[in-house]
Amino acid sequence: MVDTSSYKVGIVLSLEDKSKSGGKPLKVCSVNIGGDPICVVTNAHNVRQSSRLVVAPIGSTIINDEGEEMEIKKTAVGGVMSEGMFCDSSMLGWGSGSSGIAAQVPDSFEVGSAPPTSKPGAPPTASSESAIPAVEVKPLFEKKLTKEEKKKLAEERKAARKAAKEAKKAAES
């Protein structure tokens, strides 16, 4: 598991399309991660202006597609210097989500703060389910009665009917 403590929540301030014919569609983004904006070059198609994303700035360690740890360095991508990388769900250890899709976070996370430890909006884990009170679920069908139980139930009904008849007779007279 990679240390995500150096990752930051960032907001895309501006976006410039640097696509070249025949190449990958690159986007040059100015991103505020708290302090001076940094430049991040990406090919993630879900990055838009004002998107709130998780950024691995220079000096952070990520796990690449081969499962190896890699340190983020200032690198030229498509002829533009990139000072960080947008993280996808697998880099953050969220488990679900597509590779190559920048992980978005809700507006409730402050710019420059640490990203959430689990995917926002994901179903609760087993530990948080224990805090929810249990609800008794009744079965659709009751269990089948044995012959003895059926006879006893019939006798009780018969006795109740007989008692109701006698009470009615006593009330009429």
Side-chain angles (χ1 to χ4, degrees), residues 44-102:
H45 65 83
N46 67 325
V47 176
R48 291 172 181 73
Q49 191 165 342
S50 301
S51 293
R52 199 169 290 252
L53 308 166
V54 179
V55 180
I58 295 173
S60 302
T61 305
I62 63 157
I63 294 181
N64 64 14
D65 293 335
E66 289 81 38
E68 301 167 350
E69 288 190 8
M70 184 176 97
E71 185 178 339
I72 300 294
K73 299 175 181 168
K74 191 171 186 175
T75 310
V77 179
V80 180
M81 292 305 285
S82 184
E83 302 169 313
M85 182 176 188
F86 293 126
C87 299
D88 62 18
S89 294
S90 59
M91 287 179 191
L92 295 166
W94 288 353
S96 62
S98 300
S99 181
I101 305 293

Side-chain angles (χ1 to χ4, degrees), residues 10-15 29-31 47-51 53 86:
I11 190 163
V12 178
L13 301 174
S14 65
L15 188 82
C29 308
S30 175
V31 183
V47 176
R48 291 172 181 73
Q49 191 165 342
S50 301
S51 293
L53 308 166
F86 293 126

Side-chain angles (χ1 to χ4, degrees), residues 19 115 118 159 161 164:
S19 300
S118 62
R161 280 195 308 266

Side-chain angles (χ1 to χ4, degrees), residues 157-172:
R157 287 183 188 150
K158 188 176 181 181
R161 280 195 308 266
K162 188 176 182 181
K165 231 183 208 181
E166 289 175 4
K168 188 179 179 183
K169 265 189 183 177
E172 288 177 358

